[in-house]
Amino acid sequence: MASTLVDLEHAPYRNEGFCAALELAVAAARELGPVPGARDAGLDERVQRQAILRLRSGATANPGLLPLLAEGRFAALGAAVPGADEVSRALAVPDLFLLTAPPGTTRTMAVVEIVRSAAERGERVLLTAPATPAVEVLLARLPAGATVLRLDAGADHAGAGPGSLAAAAAGVQQRILARSQSAVHALDPWLGEPSPAMGWLRRLTTALAEAAEARERADRAAAHHDAAARAARNRLGAPLRERALLLEAAGRAVAQTAGQVDLLAAAMRRAEATWLRRWQINGLRHRLGEAVRLAAAARSASHQAHAAYDESAHLLTQEVEQDATVRAAADRAAFAEVAAERALESAERSAHHLTRLLDGVADVPGWTADAESLAGLAGRCHELEPVLRGRAGLLREWRQRAARPTRQLHAELLRYADVVATTCLGAGRPEHGDLEFDLLVMEDACQVPVPAALVPMVRARRAVLVGESRRPPLRDAEVVRAWLAARCPAGADAGVLSGLLTGSVFERVEVLAPAGNRAVTGW
């Protein structure tokens, strides 16, 4: 990210002459013709002017980029590591590093190693080249592991094919769709008019209503059976009532004779205690014996009365059960009870189906196989049904939108990619957002003019420029001199402007860079 610190002691560096020369170089390029990598002249000129504007205002990821390019003010290097190779040195330089190497496998592998090492360290890398084929060569050599996105492919600026931004977005969309498939499967039964879940909920409600009606009928039938049984007992119970009267009389006789025995036994104890005459005691003893015999006879009679009563009651129960009216009422009550149980079983089956449909999409309320608990489940499902139906509809609509090609994911993918690869001018396209990087690696920088190189350079804290020395000018020097003689504005430095039009960013920095910021390999 660009530095937001404000130095209150030192005024910010300004170099209006160099920035004005850059703008003149962009304007002159419109008349002199495009350089390698140009596609849309209008857009390319616009992104270069935006880069120059950021350079002039100091809104660059590397705050020292303007003095570095204008006057060669490089940041101080740390302690050099003895024997360090060019990859280690490139990663250690705080602002800009030049790697001079001829085209070939050695240079390609060095660039790939710089990109790979920086990505492994957690740095975001911008990999650029003046044209797409050079970018493709480097991407083909990058090892798997880092998240690599390319912003353009072939003649299509939007990008296509493996590794492109469109392909990465499509891959993310497919992963989103795959991960949400189970939720769709779980919520689908709640979608529709009527939905399958609503069908089972209606079955549950209907079954509960039928069970309630069947229970009322069963209760009425049971009450009618009880009333018929009572009427039959009253009609057929005369012998039992007679037996009941005899049983009551026998009970009274038992109680009376037992009381007589108790009284005589008490009198006998008193007589013996007061030394009454023998004939008096014998008389009491005789009367007590007679009372005991009568009490035993009363108890025997009571037992017989009980047995007769029980037998009569059993016979009455059988007669009542065999009574045609009672039997008809009992049959109706039994049928009504079976109907009530079956209606409740139907409600229970619907509840099991609803429970399975709720599993995974909402908390399943506990329930038991009784009318009150099932009614509570139905009420909860009625509360959840509109919520789940709406959720299912939103998820289906969201998945339909997620399945369509979209650019909405592009900004986030670019924000979190480890390596972003594009052409130098492609890095400034408006659809790529205001991206900034830890490291810029510019392949074939000897083919990139300074204004075009600024487009990726203003977005990176550090840069590695890869190229070769002593390359032919980017434009014919005679044509440039003729244009300068005819069109160079008054006050403009023709030498600086000529260098910007014919030379590359690699050549300009190569002249300014100290030895510690340069390395040569592959020669």
Side-chain angles (χ1 to χ4, degrees), residues 58-280:
T60 56
N62 176 10
L65 182 60
L66 177 56
L68 186 152
L69 293 176
E71 301 178 8
R73 296 186 185 182
F74 284 75
L77 298 176
V81 179
D85 58 10
E86 61 274 5
V87 174
S88 301
R89 292 175 58 197
L91 295 175
V93 168
D95 47 11
L96 191 144
F97 186 81
L98 267 74
L99 179 60
T100 304
T105 304
T106 301
R107 185 168 95 179
T108 300
M109 296 308 297
V111 173
V112 168
E113 184 61 22
I114 292 172
V115 174
R116 184 196 64 79
S117 300
E120 284 187 353
R121 295 189 340 185
E123 296 184 350
R124 282 172 43 77
V125 181
L126 175 61
L127 176 60
T128 64
T132 299
V135 177
E136 297 291 340
V137 170
L138 294 172
L139 288 179
R141 297 293 186 91
L142 283 177
T147 302
V148 180
L149 293 177
R150 55 177 183 168
L151 299 187
D152 50 357
D156 183 7
H157 276 294
S164 66
L165 189 56
V172 172
Q173 288 176 282
Q174 290 302 317
R175 289 194 293 274
I176 291 173
L177 293 174
R179 292 181 180 180
S180 61
Q181 183 61 41
S182 59
V184 170
H185 180 72
L187 285 171
D188 262 350
W190 297 88
L191 190 62
E193 291 292 342
S195 64
M198 193 62 187
W200 284 111
L201 183 54
R202 290 175 179 172
R203 291 185 190 183
L204 174 59
T205 305
T206 302
L208 286 174
E210 293 176 352
E213 294 176 1
R215 174 48 56 193
E216 291 180 2
R217 290 193 296 270
D219 292 342
R220 289 196 299 269
H224 178 69
H225 172 256
D226 293 340
R230 287 193 299 270
R233 290 183 71 86
N234 290 333
R235 186 175 69 252
L236 302 174
L240 182 62
R241 288 191 292 273
E242 292 178 2
R243 295 291 184 186
L245 293 175
L246 293 175
L247 182 60
E248 290 177 4
R252 289 194 297 271
V254 170
Q256 184 178 0
T257 55
Q260 188 66 33
V261 168
D262 291 339
L263 290 174
L264 290 172
M268 185 71 182
R269 289 192 296 272
R270 287 193 300 272
E272 291 176 347
T274 57
W275 298 95
L276 293 176
R277 295 182 181 90
R278 182 176 294 178
W279 61 269
Q280 289 178 328

